[in-house]
Amino acid sequence: MRLVIARCSVDYAGRLTAHLPSAPRLILVKADGSVSIHADDRAYKPLNWMSPPCTLKEGAGDEEGVWTVVNKAGEKLIITMEEVLHDSSHELGVDPGLIKDGVEAHLQELLADRIETLGEGYTLIRREYMTAIGPVDILCRDAEGRTVAVEIKRRGEIDGVEQLTRYLELLNRDPHLAPVRGVFAAQEIKPQARVLATDRGIGCQVLDYDALRGIEDDKLRLF
């Protein structure tokens, strides 16, 4: 990962245009090729970004200090450096991924075993479906045969919706899976998370852990 802190302006040209005036910002260039620009607020959400696959070209000569990031659709993110305050690179290696707590792990196991909880006709493809940025909790198909990616949380908050959004962006590039829609499943879903999920076309499913455990108990009962 490359970390650059610089006074810069940013212009985005694509389906729409956007301009960030000159200010000190953090620029992250990740090993997957993604580039994101951050301010010293907004928690984890970048001001602007370009998702992979994309290419970064650093200008030389008359264009020195101008970074141009281009994605496969031809959209451009142009970063004009005025002053570089810090520039360092770090090898992070392979991330082990998020380790879920016991309840989330058990919810995943239960839901995969009773996938019809999501709807009649649902079938499981697999649990922990690996992507370049981590495993999708459950990948399944609905009654019409469409692919569905399910992200499971004990408490459903905005960061979980963002995580599922990133998975969907990658999965929908696979012609064997696309179109892929998402379901955000949790024991409790915060109102803000539900609004964001709905806005992005992601379904929400509240899971009753005790009821799912009861289903599991019934399954094992002989009489």
Side-chain angles (χ1 to χ4, degrees):
M1 179 182 291
R2 183 178 179 186
L3 308 176
V4 177
I5 299 175
R7 178 174 291 278
C8 62
S9 60
V10 183
D11 291 278
Y12 173 82
R15 290 165 292 180
L16 49 80
T17 59
H19 174 72
L20 295 174
S22 176
R25 297 187 175 93
L26 168 65
I27 303 166
L28 298 182
V29 183
K30 295 186 178 181
D32 63 3
S34 63
V35 178
S36 57
I37 298 100
H38 298 259
D40 199 11
D41 61 4
R42 297 170 177 250
Y44 56 86
K45 188 173 180 63
L47 296 166
N48 214 328
W49 67 94
M50 192 69 82
S51 300
C54 57
T55 58
L56 166 62
K57 179 182 177 182
E58 298 185 41
D62 292 341
E63 294 190 347
E64 185 176 1
V66 177
W67 289 14
T68 303
V69 187
V70 183
N71 67 12
K72 64 178 182 179
E75 297 168 319
K76 294 183 179 181
L77 192 64
I78 301 169
I79 307 169
T80 304
M81 307 287 191
E82 298 172 12
E83 180 185 8
V84 176
L85 306 172
H86 175 85
D87 188 347
S88 64
S89 297
H90 307 270
E91 180 61 52
L92 302 185
V94 178
D95 190 88
L98 180 68
I99 299 175
K100 293 184 175 291
D101 67 25
V103 172
E104 287 184 11
H106 199 204
L107 277 171
Q108 183 192 114
E109 179 184 349
L110 290 170
L111 188 58
D113 191 46
R114 295 288 184 174
I115 198 66
E116 64 273 13
T117 302
L118 297 176
E120 187 177 350
Y122 273 67
T123 57
L124 179 69
I125 296 176
R126 67 167 296 167
R127 291 171 53 194
E128 299 288 329
Y129 185 90
M130 186 57 64
T131 74
I133 57 173
V136 177
D137 287 336
I138 290 177
L139 199 67
C140 58
R141 295 195 188 278
D142 63 16
E144 285 73 42
R146 295 169 298 190
T147 311
V148 181
V150 184
E151 179 63 25
I152 299 171
K153 299 292 184 187
R154 184 166 56 86
R155 176 178 294 175
E157 302 190 50
I158 284 178
D159 58 349
V161 179
E162 295 284 6
Q163 183 181 357
L164 179 54
T165 300
R166 293 191 292 271
Y167 288 145
L168 291 171
E169 185 177 345
L170 283 177
L171 291 169
N172 273 300
R173 294 176 189 167
D174 186 337
H176 299 293
L177 297 175
V180 184
R181 65 181 182 88
V183 171
F184 188 50
Q187 289 180 276
E188 173 193 3
I189 299 177
K190 296 294 186 180
Q192 300 93 331
R194 186 180 290 275
V195 169
L196 181 61
T198 301
D199 182 66
R200 295 183 177 179
I202 294 171
C204 292
Q205 178 83 29
V206 175
L207 300 175
D208 187 328
Y209 183 49
D210 291 333
L212 284 172
R213 292 178 67 189
I215 290 172
E216 181 186 49
D217 292 341
D218 290 342
K219 188 178 178 182
L220 296 176
R221 192 174 296 130
L222 297 177
F223 50 85

